Amino acid sequence: MSWQTVAIETAGWIGAVLVLAAYALASAGRLDGKSPLFQWLNLVGAAGFVINTAWHGAMPSMVLNIIWCGIAVFTLWKLRS
């Protein structure tokens, strides 16, 4: 397995852990869905998914996660205002 493949798979797994952590913490009431931390977890997690799904050619998932990133960026921008 090449170092590129390992890096791509690692990005996907880290993305999965971050998105799941955000969801679990929000569902448990330990993190507000409008908090910067929640948005950053989703942004970085979705970016990891974009890298992984693009590599694997999973276009529907890639587009979904690009939109997910956009929502997080937009929300973080609004939170700064």
Side-chain angles (χ1 to χ4, degrees), residues 8-74:
I8 298 296
E9 295 303 321
T10 300
W13 282 107
I14 289 171
V17 168
L18 293 176
V19 170
L20 284 171
Y23 182 69
L25 289 168
S27 294
R30 304 214 22 156
L31 190 60
D32 182 11
K34 293 183 181 178
S35 72
L37 178 58
F38 179 82
Q39 298 303 323
W40 277 108
L41 288 169
N42 276 291
L43 175 59
V44 176
F49 279 142
V50 170
I51 292 165
N52 185 273
T53 55
W55 177 267
H56 289 287
M59 293 303 125
S61 182
M62 185 186 78
V63 170
L64 168 71
N65 282 288
I66 289 170
I67 294 167
W68 197 296
C69 286
I71 292 168
V73 167
F74 178 76

